[in-house]
Amino acid sequence: MTFPKAYIASEYEKNIYKLWEESGLFKADPNSSKPHFSMSMPPPNETGSLHMGHALFLTLQDIIARHQRQLGKDVLWLPGTDHAALPVNALMEQQLTEQGTNKHEIGREEFKKRTKEFVGNSRNQIISQMRAMGTSADWDKLRYTLDNTLNRCVNEVFFRMFNDDLIYRKYRIVNWDPKLETTVSDDEVEHKEETAPLYTLQYGPFQITTARPETKFGDKYVVMHPDDERYKQYKHDDTFEVEWLNGKVTAKVIKDEAVDMSFGTGVMTITPWHDKTDFEIAERHGLEKDQIIDFTGKLLPIAGKFSGENIEDARPKIVEKLDKLGLLIGVEDKPHNLAVNSRGKGVIEPQIMLQWFVDVNRPAVEWKGQKRSLKEVMRAVVEDGDIKIIPKRFEKIYFHWIDNLRDWCVSRQIWWGHQIPAWRKKGTDDDYVAFRNSTEAENKLGTKNIERDPDTLDTWFSSALWTWSTLIDKVYYEGDKDHEPHRRDNLESLLERSIDFDKYHPTTVMETGYDILFFWVARMILATTYTLRSAGLDEEKSLPFKTVYLHGLVRTEEGRKMSKSDPDSIIDPMEVIPEFGTDALRLALVAGTTAGTDQRVGKSKILANRNFANKLWNIARYIQETVGNNRGEPAPKSLADHWILNLLSISSEAVKKALANFKFHEAYEILYHFVWDDLADWYIEASKTEPNREVLNHVLETTLKIAHPFAPFVTETIWQNLEFEGLLAAQLWPEAADFDHTKAKQFDELKNIISEARRITVAVGVNKPTLLYAKSGLIEQNKELVKRLGRLGDVVEAAKPRGMRLVGAKNDAWLDIDPQIVKAYLANLKVAQKEQERFVKLLESRLSNKAYMQKAPDELVEQTENELRQAKKQLDTISNQLKSMS
């Protein structure tokens, strides 16, 4: 058949994906006798379209899934989407505001109805875009974090934790977002650095500093470190009178080790209702707590005449009053961390509220012979090597997070999400009690007149169950509108009867971004180990996964974070694919990616990697046009045949080993250089002298198999155009063909001769010189090859050497070049070497200058470092040329 001249990705990709999907290739088979491999997809939020972060994880996970199939495994790559409670809720509230209404006006049920319609449309778009990325997931297993089965699992876990005293409801300080009117977890709080006034105030005999004078109305405790010699005359619980914002206050001295003696005067007043550290001090000493700011961000009556005012409006007026009272000592602008909700961007106002919490310190489950808390199990599974984190340096960050982990506030005051499965008798102030469903609640409470807690659960609570809840067969959870299971069903029996859970859990790999190590990975470990151990499973089966691979963020070419607030910084995958093709995008994302490290991607990188796809296409087209696509057992004849088969074998094993160790960039780098340098630049050119049909087709076939996980569309398109048997995506990893190592090494020697001849010819500026050699059977037998590839005028045996000797070759060979030409070139090369040495020293001096390193912008320092690397590389090239030619 005729092979098209150019590869135009858009003409093939949809049909190729349809071919894969209709073949059933992506479907897992738990009854298969093959070894099982499983991986859960981090479900994208249903808030719009895929971004470059999604494109990266889809690419890396697809490479893993396709390669595992090549290794002969039954692969379950389970896809899903996330209801994303907080971000979806924020988006819907914004839409309602733009429509001139709000959630309270339309009511809860209408709000949920509109949200469901919105995410349904978004879900279809996202899944379509996943397919466009080449995602080889088992779409029959598609899961949604708010579907009925997962809701039942959520209710089950909440119920179990409640009955094990691991979930409790209590008044505690939380992160409150007045804008979205909900709590948010500690991990969802961002800290934006800004310059803000720091006020020094006179509080009786003490000077205190604060960035928030609006919270000072309730201050009646002054706290100092018990070891601070400056205040040793003050005893714990001493009292004194203070003239303050609303008149006289009787203040009390509190001694507490939480105070930083080196900060300011070493003394502070506390506002326990609106600061976590202050709250903890108050809890330790049984102090009163006064609320100053309400849940909408306005001051309460305790603020006197400022009551009802917004914080931002009231602050300058309060400062003015402090000044008039003679209590304002000074104002200084200082860097300040402003806490904001990472989702809705509302400024966080700590508040004491009645909320649901997961106790991470209470003994929870038996783990390796000990009753351990959730925190202790989370630490143990990584410390003991049951779960491996790649890169390893993130283990230290993980442990630090665990050491500082507080009880997890899991209740949210929003309407989109899993509603908390807790009920009480309607119209009472009884405590809510957790049940699996409303029927169970009615039976246990002895009445149908019940009410459910209106709050929903933190998104990460449901997502924490992802690896195992998605493996429970939906049919077992078919029931009424409350998603009640059949009466005989409980979690233990459901897990036991689920063949998917039996074969695929724990999942083999969890691949995700390092930015959700705590949001998601850590919480999956917390919830899964607890739930499955409490259901009677052994420790190995209770792990969510065995290996965690953390990729970095995708940044712009300039190193900036891609952000919706900066549209110019964003590269939309769905705009890139029609222009460059999916493979070009995938290869650009793989090139340079290393575990836990951010990478830069721009259109220039995508264009460069499109060239690789085109190179594969052109190689295939040349082979098809030269020798056809008739395949047979490869029988190497020429030295080049043996050489390419040797390199193909080495490259294949190296790529396989790199992928086994999740070194995606290294694997692609090996593949890239084999295809571009060894196959295209050398073997294809060498084969033009003596083409070997079977070897050419074998090398092409094997290369396509190795390249397929990285660039699935172009490789499958080539495979189909060449009418090779079956689907490339269904082929096993290739086996090496036979070759002769000695003959392969002989071609390496020819390659050295040819390379050095080319380099010298170009360097000194001569055209087609003659190569002279002395009694070399290797050169004699391959004269035509050396002449053509070396771009030489002739290759001649000579009795006496003359001209310039090739020092890199084992065989005696010379280029017949006038010595005066060489001498002049060497003189110029020495001048260039000295100039380059001076430039390198200049850059090194600049980077060793402390003043420069401290004052220069980061971008300039980075540019200088890059210049130094390039300058050293160029100097090495010049020095090596001098050494070889002198």
Side-chain angles (χ1 to χ4, degrees):
M1 64 171 289
T2 303
F3 206 89
K5 287 186 177 180
Y7 174 62
I8 302 172
S10 59
E11 293 183 3
Y12 298 101
E13 290 186 351
K14 284 186 179 179
N15 290 334
I16 288 294
Y17 193 88
K18 185 179 179 183
L19 196 64
W20 289 330
E21 197 165 3
E22 288 179 349
S23 74
L25 176 69
F26 302 161
K27 294 179 182 179
D29 178 8
N31 295 309
S32 171
S33 60
K34 297 177 181 178
H36 300 292
F37 176 93
S38 57
M39 179 170 57
S40 297
M41 180 186 294
N45 291 351
E46 296 185 334
T47 53
S49 57
L50 296 182
H51 54 64
M52 287 297 278
H54 296 129
L56 175 60
F57 89 66
L58 289 170
T59 296
L60 297 182
Q61 289 176 32
D62 191 58
I63 289 172
I64 293 170
R66 290 178 185 271
H67 183 58
Q68 290 299 318
R69 292 190 194 100
Q70 290 179 321
L71 298 180
K73 295 181 184 178
D74 164 57
V75 174
L76 171 60
W77 181 15
L78 190 143
T81 57
D82 191 356
H83 70 282
L86 201 55
V88 168
N89 194 89
L91 194 59
M92 290 303 297
E93 292 207 36
Q94 180 183 338
Q95 288 184 10
L96 291 174
T97 300
E98 292 169 356
Q99 294 165 10
T101 185
N102 59 59
K103 66 179 184 181
H104 301 293
E105 289 183 4
I106 67 172
R108 184 170 190 146
E109 291 308 312
E110 178 63 22
F111 179 85
K112 287 166 65 178
K113 178 185 174 185
R114 294 190 190 187
T115 307
K116 191 173 183 179
E117 290 174 356
F118 168 75
V119 298
N121 293 332
S122 179
R123 184 183 312 142
N124 293 334
Q125 179 183 354
I126 285 172
I127 292 171
S128 171
Q129 292 174 350
M130 287 181 186
R131 285 182 160 97
M133 282 298 303
T135 302
S136 61
D138 185 345
W139 295 108
D140 288 349
K141 304 287 188 185
L142 180 67
R143 291 293 187 266
Y144 173 46
T145 55
L146 203 56
D147 70 23
N148 293 354
T149 304
L150 269 68
N151 180 254
R152 279 293 297 118
C153 292
V154 167
N155 290 357
E156 176 76 23
V157 174
F158 190 96
F159 172 79
R160 284 173 177 262
M161 284 188 161
F162 180 85
N163 283 284
D164 283 347
D165 293 328
L166 295 174
I167 279 185
Y168 63 89
R169 191 165 179 253
K170 184 179 178 180
Y171 280 100
R172 292 192 58 180
I173 196 160
V174 294
N175 304 304
W176 178 256
D177 180 355
K179 181 181 175 183
L180 291 181
E181 298 178 333
T182 184
T183 59
V184 295
S185 69
D186 291 343
D187 295 320
E188 288 171 314
V189 176
E190 285 182 355
H191 291 91
K192 291 197 313 184
E193 186 173 297
E194 62 175 15
T195 300
L198 188 66
Y199 305 95
T200 301
L201 309 176
Q202 192 70 42
Y203 190 81
F206 305 103
Q207 288 187 357
I208 62 167
T209 55
T210 182
R212 303 198 61 197
E214 67 274 8
T215 66
K216 298 288 108 181
F217 292 97
D219 286 9
K220 51 191 172 187
Y221 303 104
V222 62
V223 188
M224 58 198 68
H225 198 283
D227 298 333
D228 198 327
E229 289 293 319
R230 291 170 293 180
Y231 307 109
K232 62 182 179 180
Q233 71 270 34
Y234 297 98
K235 307 301 181 189
H236 184 72
D237 282 348
D238 279 355
T239 59
F240 57 94
E241 296 293 313
V242 178
E243 285 292 340
W244 199 227
L245 276 161
N246 288 334
K248 283 190 176 182
V249 173
T250 300
K252 180 181 284 191
V253 173
I254 300 295
K255 299 272 186 161
D256 194 282
E257 293 182 352
V259 176
D260 182 358
M261 289 187 283
S262 65
F263 180 75
T265 62
V267 175
M268 65 181 190
T269 56
I270 60 172
T271 311
W273 200 285
H274 300 289
D275 183 272
K276 285 187 177 179
T277 302
D278 295 359
F279 175 82
E280 290 169 356
I281 292 171
E283 286 284 282
R284 281 195 290 272
H285 300 284
L287 309 180
E288 293 179 1
K289 308 173 187 74
D290 296 318
Q291 186 175 6
I292 314 298
I293 301 162
D294 71 9
F295 298 118
T296 67
K298 294 180 179 177
L299 291 163
L300 290 165
I302 192 173
K305 68 176 185 178
F306 304 109
S307 176
E309 289 197 35
N310 180 279
I311 293 170
E312 297 298 324
D313 295 334
R315 185 177 296 147
K317 300 175 188 176
I318 295 168
V319 172
E320 184 180 1
K321 181 176 181 179
L322 286 164
D323 193 22
K324 287 181 180 178
L325 291 171
L327 302 175
L328 180 63
I329 304 302
V331 183
E332 185 180 4
D333 286 340
K334 288 278 189 179
H336 169 72
N337 282 327
L338 182 69
V340 298
N341 180 356
S342 62
R343 297 300 183 181
K345 303 304 178 184
V347 177
I348 295 298
E349 182 57 65
Q351 296 276 11
I352 296 175
M353 301 179 71
L354 183 60
Q355 298 292 322
W356 293 93
F357 296 87
V358 171
D359 191 330
V360 297
N361 294 294
R362 185 183 181 86
V365 291
E366 284 288 332
W367 196 269
K368 296 190 177 178
Q370 297 180 43
K371 188 84 168 180
R372 302 197 188 191
S373 69
L374 299 175
K375 279 175 68 169
E376 288 170 336
V377 175
M378 291 168 75
R379 173 178 275 277
V381 296
V382 176
E383 277 186 338
D384 296 346
D386 300 317
I387 294 176
K388 179 182 179 183
I389 297 178
I390 302 172
K392 190 173 177 60
R393 70 177 186 272
F394 275 88
E395 289 184 6
K396 184 177 180 181
I397 299 169
Y398 173 82
F399 293 141
H400 177 76
W401 179 80
I402 291 173
D403 292 341
N404 293 278
L405 182 62
R406 304 168 187 258
D407 285 359
W408 177 15
C409 177
V410 294
S411 45
R412 300 289 177 265
Q413 292 63 54
I414 57 177
W415 292 346
W416 181 245
H418 292 276
Q419 192 169 349
I420 289 175
W423 288 262
R424 67 183 177 189
K425 292 180 180 178
K426 198 168 187 178
T428 69
D429 292 327
D430 294 347
D431 289 337
Y432 286 106
V433 178
F435 298 103
R436 291 184 175 92
N437 50 65
S438 60
T439 303
E440 188 174 281
E442 289 171 356
N443 293 337
K444 296 289 186 180
L445 295 175
T447 177
K448 290 185 178 292
N449 192 28
I450 60 174
E451 62 182 1
R452 188 173 185 175
D453 189 319
D455 287 354
T456 55
L457 283 162
D458 179 5
T459 293
W460 300 104
F461 188 92
S462 54
S463 296
L465 318 180
W466 187 245
T467 63
W468 64 268
S469 63
T470 53
L471 297 175
I472 292 179
D473 197 322
K474 291 180 179 180
V475 71
Y476 293 137
Y477 271 159
E478 289 177 354
D480 64 13
K481 59 185 176 66
D482 290 321
H483 319 313
E484 294 178 314
H486 302 299
R487 293 292 180 266
R488 58 186 167 79
D489 285 338
N490 56 36
L491 182 60
E492 286 83 351
S493 66
L494 288 170
L495 293 171
E496 185 179 339
R497 298 206 311 266
S498 175
I499 187 171
D500 280 353
F501 178 82
D502 179 55
K503 298 298 184 183
Y504 298 121
H505 203 272
T507 52
T508 315
V509 175
M510 171 50 61
E511 193 287 328
T512 190
Y514 70 70
D515 54 326
I516 55 173
L517 173 61
F518 310 128
F519 286 118
W520 194 39
V521 175
R523 299 194 192 283
M524 279 191 285
I525 296 173
L526 178 155
T528 304
T529 52
Y530 161 76
T531 305
L532 300 185
R533 281 296 283 153
S534 73
L537 276 68
D538 64 31
E539 286 149 5
E540 184 179 358
K541 197 69 176 174
S542 299
L543 298 170
F545 29 70
K546 298 174 184 177
T547 300
V548 178
Y549 176 88
L550 301 171
H551 64 249
L553 303 179
V554 181
R555 298 186 177 274
T556 66
E557 286 180 298
E558 298 75 29
R560 290 180 291 132
K561 186 176 180 180
M562 292 188 186
S563 170
K564 290 180 181 178
S565 61
D566 181 12
D568 291 338
S569 71
I570 295 175
I571 297 177
D572 185 344
M574 295 306 116
E575 290 181 3
V576 167
I577 288 173
E579 183 178 358
F580 298 99
T582 302
D583 292 326
L585 174 59
R586 288 170 60 115
L587 294 172
L589 289 165
V590 173
T593 187
T594 54
T597 304
D598 295 351
Q599 64 166 313
R600 302 180 181 191
V601 175
K603 287 196 174 181
S604 60
K605 188 178 181 184
I606 297 168
L607 176 61
N609 284 279
R610 183 179 67 178
N611 294 338
F612 179 76
N614 289 337
K615 178 63 75 172
L616 283 172
W617 184 267
N618 290 332
I619 289 170
R621 181 167 170 263
Y622 164 77
I623 292 173
Q624 196 273 338
E625 291 180 349
T626 302
V627 298
N629 58 352
N630 296 322
R631 293 181 294 169
E633 285 299 316
K637 300 173 184 175
S638 68
L639 299 182
D641 291 343
H642 290 279
W643 176 81
I644 196 65
L645 291 175
N646 178 36
L647 281 181
L648 183 58
S649 174
I650 292 169
S651 300
S652 175
E653 282 303 307
V655 169
K656 185 178 176 181
K657 182 179 178 181
L659 288 178
N661 291 295
F662 302 97
K663 295 181 178 180
F664 300 99
H665 164 64
E666 182 179 316
Y668 175 44
E669 191 81 2
I670 294 164
L671 170 66
Y672 181 94
H673 286 294
F674 172 78
V675 169
W676 204 280
D677 302 334
D678 302 327
L679 178 54
D681 284 356
W682 283 100
Y683 182 68
I684 293 293
E685 291 304 312
S687 72
K688 291 176 181 177
T689 302
E690 189 180 352
N692 184 322
R693 176 193 299 175
E694 287 76 21
V695 171
L696 279 164
N697 274 296
H698 171 79
V699 171
L700 174 59
E701 179 183 348
T702 302
T703 302
L704 291 175
K705 290 177 181 178
I706 298 171
H708 179 73
F710 303 91
F713 285 105
V714 68
T715 52
E716 186 71 74
T717 303
I718 292 170
W719 189 272
Q720 297 304 318
N721 275 334
L722 292 175
E723 298 179 341
F724 284 173
E725 186 178 348
L727 290 171
L728 173 59
Q731 303 300 310
L732 294 176
W733 192 256
E735 294 183 1
D738 292 333
F739 59 89
D740 187 310
H741 284 279
T742 301
K743 291 179 179 179
K745 288 181 179 178
Q746 287 177 336
F747 186 80
D748 272 321
E749 171 62 5
L750 289 176
K751 187 167 168 280
N752 288 337
I753 294 168
I754 293 164
S755 297
E756 191 171 358
R758 283 179 182 175
R759 185 174 65 252
I760 293 171
T761 300
V762 172
V764 300
V766 298
N767 185 38
K768 291 191 173 183
T770 296
L771 178 83
L772 307 174
Y773 66 94
K775 294 182 180 179
S776 169
L778 178 65
I779 298 176
E780 177 66 29
Q781 293 165 19
N782 294 277
K783 286 172 67 173
E784 284 304 311
L785 178 69
V786 173
K787 178 181 175 181
R788 191 168 60 79
L789 295 189
R791 300 164 196 140
L792 300 166
D794 204 352
V795 177
V796 178
E797 184 175 5
K800 292 183 179 181
R802 67 177 184 273
M804 187 168 186
R805 189 175 188 278
L806 303 185
V807 296
K810 293 178 182 177
N811 289 255
D812 290 336
W814 300 262
L815 284 177
D816 192 6
I817 301 174
D818 188 331
Q820 294 305 315
I821 295 176
V822 177
K823 187 176 180 181
Y825 175 73
L826 288 173
N828 291 334
L829 210 55
K830 287 176 181 177
V831 172
Q833 183 186 42
K834 288 181 180 179
E835 289 178 354
Q836 197 65 19
E837 285 172 347
R838 282 195 293 268
F839 185 51
V840 167
K841 286 180 181 178
L842 173 66
L843 295 174
E844 288 177 335
S845 173
R846 190 179 298 168
L847 290 170
S848 64
N849 187 319
K850 291 182 179 179
Y852 173 80
M853 296 298 288
Q854 289 173 356
K855 294 178 182 178
D858 291 343
E859 296 83 0
L860 186 57
V861 172
E862 186 177 349
Q863 180 183 336
T864 306
E865 289 171 341
N866 287 333
E867 286 180 358
L868 178 60
R869 279 192 291 270
Q870 292 300 319
K872 284 183 174 180
K873 189 175 180 181
Q874 192 171 347
L875 178 59
D876 286 343
T877 300
I878 295 171
S879 300
N880 288 333
Q881 282 185 344
L882 272 170
K883 185 178 178 181
S884 66
M885 295 180 70
S886 295

